[in-house]
Amino acid sequence: MNKRLPTMLVSAVLAMSLIACQQSENSQTTKTDAKNASEKSQQAMKKEMPKVEAEDLSYLIDEHSYANKDEVLLTHLDLDLEVLFDKKQLKGHVDLSFERLQSNAQQLILDTRDLTIDRVTSIDSDGNETDTQFVLADKDAVLGSKLTVELKDGEEKVRIYYNSNPQASGLQWLTPEQTAGKKEPFMFSQAQAIHARSFIPVQDSPDVRVTYKANIKTPKQLLAVMSAYNEPNTPLDGDYQFDMPQAIPPYLIAIGVGDLQFKSMGPRTGVYSEAAYLDSSAKEFEDTEQMIDITEAMYGPYLWGRYDLLILPPSFPFGGMENPRLSFITPTVIAGDKSLINLIAHELAHSWSGNLVTNATWRDLWLNEGFTSYVENRIMEELFDENRSEMENALSVQGLRQQVKSLPVGDTILHITLDGRDPDDAFSGVPYTKGQMFLVFLEQRFGRETFDKFLNQYFGDFAFKSLTTPEFEKYLDKHLIAKYPGKVTQAEIDEWLHSPMLPEFMPNPQSNAFIKVDAASADFISGKLALNDMVTDKWSIHEWLHFINNLPQDISLEKMAELDKAFDLTTTTNNEVAHAWLKLAINRGYGVVNQRLEDYLISIGRRKLIVPLYKALMDTKQGDFAKRVYAIARSGYHPLAQGTVDAIVNPAKPVSK
Ligand code: BES
Ligand code: ZN
């Protein structure tokens, strides 16, 4: 629970951090200002830090939530909502049950963003309602609007009548034309990091955990699913009930509504999808059940009951989202050859790292994503072999090395300082792959057997809890480092967690398969090897990705045309390979791809696949092309992707006074 520190102390630190936060909030009004703020924080980072005498406890503060969670803590939600497609609104009420950590607390402070609050009532033990005072503050660009509800003595439940609005940052509303079936609308949520507040008034911090129940009303012909128990083959009647009996942070509350069908893949696994993807996704992801068995054998029982997948429309802004019991998955990984199913291993792995043991603030995201990337790769090694897991690691690390070159230096630190920035704006491969390599480093130093034991105990000790990086450091010290002295130094741990860029002693995963690809590539580039003689028929998608990613940045257009003719790269149906090829083509001005590029950008909304392409277009002065295509594509993108691409294609001008 949330009882780490005496409240007075937390409040004092909180007050300090709010001042800092407000100061930086002012600098959040434009993207340019946010960039300046991040540059300033980098400069500050480079300066020598003054010695702090008293222990700095600011790491315990969640600067991205207004919630007074150390006074009054939410414990359970009862949602009663109608899904109004014509108005693009969720409308109804939520009952919030809470525990008073401070017996004299007189207010419940919640996070909201773009919500309309109609009425707040207090509910007594007989269910009687009486109106309650509330204040909805002005909107902050990053945090949204603080909602303060006055509490009555002894009261333990409030009801909020509200609706979300069409611009909700955590919801996407798709018209029938934007779906695969073209007949029915679709709506889905994406709450991580701080978007649950755009569809539920809640203490939107990963340090809060709630159980929830929900009644959801939809048009009769549609099916609703949630990150809760979903009864396979639920009859369609427009009235659905859900129960999530395990306590989860609000960023894991999720809903999807559409013309969905269910197909079973195993005793506790299945897919929900529009008819168009149902069979292909059930086949592509048929190993999901086995992945659960593998992970259980390594890290202990899967504690969430069923594990289903919801296949979303291609506009889903992420590859996947680990909503408990029901991961949300992009259809762009249905490649036909299981080449991209590490995504499923990743979202499943979050059932241990992230959903069971959770980062307490968004500064600690690496505790979710680094651990998950590590477990993901271990699952892939077991399901396939070392060859596959090594190739995947080598690709990730090469991507990371490339990415850190252009990141603000402060964003390369695992225990990142966010200074009031939106966590989405600091999103990168660092918490994923640098975090993963830290764990690989520990595994190598302590041996796999010892490290696995440590991880098992960690998942057990922190099950259904949230923790910060410094809390993890203490735990690591006690249960691994001090137990087996002489294996790693404190300086090494500090460098991993608190220093920018990548440690020189970072593991450097290699793949034998890639060494062969490199040799063939060098011979092709030097003219020693004709493409006809290059033996590529057994190359996996990973080998192709490595090959394309490592072609010389100044490769001639003739050579590109030759490759294209021999291997049909422009028309490849693998979305990752297409991404790598299109990026190279943009950078080299290989205009042959332009129609394919346009189709790609219009049909896919996954940020990881589209954002680097828009960036490359802008960097290579093909802004007119980017703007023209984006004008067509934008309405099909999720609000989060729209925000990111808006800033790239139409960078905010500095505000002139
Ligand atoms: N939880 C993340 C997605 C996320 C992170 C959303 C931070 C919002 C804020 C999810 O588990 C994830 O990491 N997805 C990756 C998967 C990939 C690393 C295999 C993605 O979407 O690409
Ligand atoms: Zn993840």
Side-chain angles (χ1 to χ4, degrees):
M1 276 284 185
N2 214 283
K3 296 166 184 163
R4 297 199 182 93
L5 279 178
T7 307
M8 291 291 285
L9 193 54
V10 172
S11 304
V13 182
L14 185 63
M16 273 154 49
S17 107
L18 279 183
I19 294 167
C21 193
Q22 274 156 11
Q23 283 166 351
S24 64
E25 274 165 34
N26 297 335
S27 63
Q28 287 298 316
T29 40
T30 67
K31 292 271 170 195
T32 322
D33 285 350
K35 197 168 157 254
N36 289 342
S38 98
E39 276 161 10
K40 261 187 227 152
S41 76
Q42 290 161 32
Q43 285 159 8
M45 205 103 51
K46 281 186 209 147
K47 283 191 208 140
E48 212 160 271
M49 296 297 279
K51 265 221 154 87
V52 181
E53 293 302 331
E55 194 190 355
D56 178 7
L57 296 169
S58 56
Y59 65 81
L60 291 166
I61 304 295
D62 182 356
E63 62 191 311
H64 294 104
S65 170
Y66 286 116
N68 58 338
K69 60 195 168 65
D70 50 313
E71 295 174 357
V72 180
L73 188 61
L74 293 187
T75 54
H76 178 79
L77 312 184
D78 286 290
L79 291 155
D80 199 325
L81 294 172
E82 192 168 352
V83 183
L84 301 172
F85 279 99
D86 52 341
K87 294 188 171 152
K88 297 188 181 175
Q89 288 181 352
L90 294 181
K91 188 171 176 62
H93 58 77
V94 58
D95 291 354
L96 305 165
S97 306
F98 52 84
E99 188 187 335
R100 286 170 198 262
L101 303 182
Q102 295 291 305
S103 53
N104 57 353
Q106 286 173 349
Q107 292 179 332
L108 169 64
I109 301 181
L110 302 169
D111 297 296
T112 76
R113 183 188 291 125
D114 297 326
L115 294 183
T116 303
I117 309 290
D118 293 325
R119 187 178 165 213
V120 181
T121 63
S122 137
I123 304 187
D124 69 18
S125 47
D126 299 326
N128 299 318
E129 287 183 63
T130 46
D131 276 286
T132 289
Q133 297 287 324
F134 67 93
V135 178
L136 186 62
D138 286 346
K139 180 178 169 180
D140 173 84
V142 174
L143 299 182
S145 306
K146 169 161 105 174
L147 176 63
T148 308
V149 175
E150 296 302 323
L151 295 183
K152 301 185 175 125
D153 283 347
E155 172 190 9
E156 279 172 12
K157 213 189 231 190
V158 296
R159 173 172 294 179
I160 301 181
Y161 292 86
Y162 74 100
N163 62 266
S164 69
N165 281 297
Q167 72 271 33
S169 59
L171 301 177
Q172 188 177 14
W173 300 86
L174 296 171
T175 62
E177 299 71 48
Q178 292 171 316
T179 67
K182 311 274 179 227
K183 289 207 181 72
E184 301 292 349
F186 202 116
M187 186 278 297
F188 64 87
S189 66
Q190 166 57 43
Q192 195 184 9
I194 53 170
H195 304 287
R197 65 191 68 179
S198 73
F199 58 97
I200 306 171
V202 70
Q203 292 185 321
D204 193 8
S205 166
D207 195 24
V208 171
R209 295 186 98 86
V210 292
T211 51
Y212 78 84
K213 287 191 178 160
N215 287 321
I216 304 292
K217 292 212 169 50
T218 71
K220 280 199 171 48
Q221 69 281 17
L222 302 184
L223 181 67
V225 287
M226 289 192 83
S227 56
Y229 181 76
N230 292 280
E231 176 64 38
N233 302 312
T234 306
L236 292 183
D237 62 3
D239 192 354
Y240 305 101
Q241 275 72 43
F242 300 95
D243 186 6
M244 175 39 118
Q246 285 114 328
I248 56 167
Y251 78 87
L252 292 175
I253 300 175
I255 179 168
V257 179
D259 187 4
L260 296 171
Q261 298 182 14
F262 174 79
K263 185 162 181 170
S264 171
M265 297 190 293
R268 45 184 171 170
T269 50
V271 282
Y272 291 89
S273 163
E274 280 195 78
Y277 305 120
L278 194 66
D279 291 334
S280 57
S281 58
K283 180 88 192 89
E284 191 84 6
F285 308 137
E286 65 187 358
D287 300 320
T288 308
E289 192 82 32
Q290 203 188 332
M291 288 185 182
I292 305 180
D293 297 339
I294 288 171
T295 324
E296 287 188 311
M298 293 191 292
Y299 302 119
Y302 175 79
L303 293 173
W304 306 88
R306 289 193 58 84
Y307 181 68
D308 294 316
L309 307 175
L310 171 63
I311 312 302
L312 290 157
S315 66
F316 182 53
F318 292 97
M321 178 64 211
E322 65 269 27
N323 298 315
R325 296 177 183 223
L326 183 69
S327 285
F328 284 21
I329 302 294
T330 174
T332 62
V333 293
I334 309 172
D337 57 3
K338 301 186 180 178
S339 55
L340 307 176
I341 62 167
N342 65 301
L343 176 82
I344 308 298
H346 180 97
E347 303 314 334
L348 171 68
H350 274 303
S351 307
W352 286 261
S353 43
N355 300 2
L356 196 57
V357 180
T358 309
N359 52 211
T361 80
W362 297 116
R363 296 185 59 195
D364 310 301
L365 180 66
W366 78 274
L367 287 173
N368 277 17
E369 299 301 344
F371 276 70
T372 294
S373 301
Y374 175 83
V375 174
E376 163 201 332
N377 198 256
R378 293 287 303 272
I379 298 172
M380 295 305 285
E381 181 185 321
E382 288 297 315
L383 185 65
F384 293 89
D385 51 25
E386 278 185 10
N387 186 37
R388 169 83 178 243
S389 57
E390 277 166 3
M391 287 195 295
E392 293 191 350
N393 274 345
L395 283 169
S396 315
V397 168
Q398 197 182 27
L400 175 69
R401 289 192 194 282
Q402 202 55 38
Q403 200 185 29
V404 292
K405 288 185 202 159
S406 56
L407 281 178
V409 68
D411 288 5
T412 64
I413 298 176
L414 279 183
H415 190 221
I416 189 173
T417 303
L418 291 170
D419 276 338
R421 282 159 83 202
D422 187 327
D424 286 349
D425 292 344
F427 185 80
S428 79
V430 169
Y432 289 78
T433 308
K434 185 177 176 184
Q436 180 195 356
M437 286 304 118
F438 174 41
L439 302 188
V440 171
F441 163 86
L442 292 174
E443 180 202 303
Q444 290 175 353
R445 290 288 178 93
F446 291 92
R448 189 172 265 197
E449 204 183 316
T450 304
F451 189 61
D452 276 356
K453 244 197 237 148
F454 165 79
L455 274 188
N456 254 290
Q457 196 187 344
Y458 168 73
F459 290 138
D461 287 347
F462 288 98
F464 299 106
K465 293 192 181 118
S466 305
L467 81 163
T468 62
T469 302
E471 286 167 324
F472 171 73
E473 283 178 79
K474 278 195 195 119
Y475 185 87
L476 177 71
D477 190 49
K478 178 157 175 217
H479 295 278
L480 197 66
I481 298 177
K483 232 173 161 178
Y484 305 94
K487 306 260 187 217
V488 302
T489 65
Q490 190 53 45
E492 285 169 328
I493 301 291
D494 284 345
E495 183 165 349
W496 274 110
L497 296 176
H498 305 292
S499 291
M501 305 310 281
L502 307 174
E504 255 177 48
F505 47 85
M506 182 169 101
N508 197 22
Q510 295 293 333
S511 149
N512 288 333
F514 289 175
I515 294 171
K516 289 189 199 141
V517 171
D518 288 339
S521 179
D523 287 348
F524 160 63
I525 293 296
S526 69
K528 241 203 256 166
L529 184 69
L531 285 186
N532 282 344
D533 301 327
M534 201 155 119
V535 190
T536 58
D537 47 332
K538 293 219 171 63
W539 277 10
S540 63
I541 290 302
H542 306 90
E543 283 156 298
W544 278 110
L545 285 171
H546 179 79
F547 175 70
I548 297 170
N549 288 342
N550 289 283
L551 284 169
Q553 280 307 298
D554 60 353
I555 182 172
S556 69
L557 296 184
E558 291 72 32
K559 283 240 177 307
M560 286 197 70
E562 240 185 276
L563 284 168
D564 211 3
K565 187 155 172 255
F567 305 123
D568 295 327
L569 293 173
T570 299
T571 52
T572 174
T573 53
N574 186 290
N575 288 309
E576 291 280 355
V577 173
H579 171 85
W581 177 248
L582 292 173
K583 201 165 79 178
L584 179 69
I586 295 168
N587 286 331
R588 290 301 302 124
Y590 178 65
V592 175
V593 300
N594 280 3
Q595 187 56 49
R596 169 74 168 122
L597 176 60
E598 178 169 343
D599 296 345
Y600 189 91
L601 292 172
I602 291 170
S603 62
I604 295 176
R606 182 178 171 192
R607 281 202 307 195
K608 183 187 138 192
L609 296 181
I610 59 170
V611 166
L613 300 183
Y614 280 109
K615 276 194 183 141
L617 283 167
M618 297 309 289
D619 288 349
T620 53
K621 311 261 177 305
Q622 299 174 73
D624 288 347
F625 179 89
K627 286 195 171 103
R628 183 180 64 73
V629 174
Y630 186 43
I632 306 168
R634 190 177 187 280
S635 63
Y637 289 172
H638 187 281
L640 296 178
Q642 289 178 346
T644 314
V645 182
D646 282 352
I648 297 167
V649 174
N650 298 308
K653 296 193 181 70
V655 188
S656 51
K657 289 202 177 139

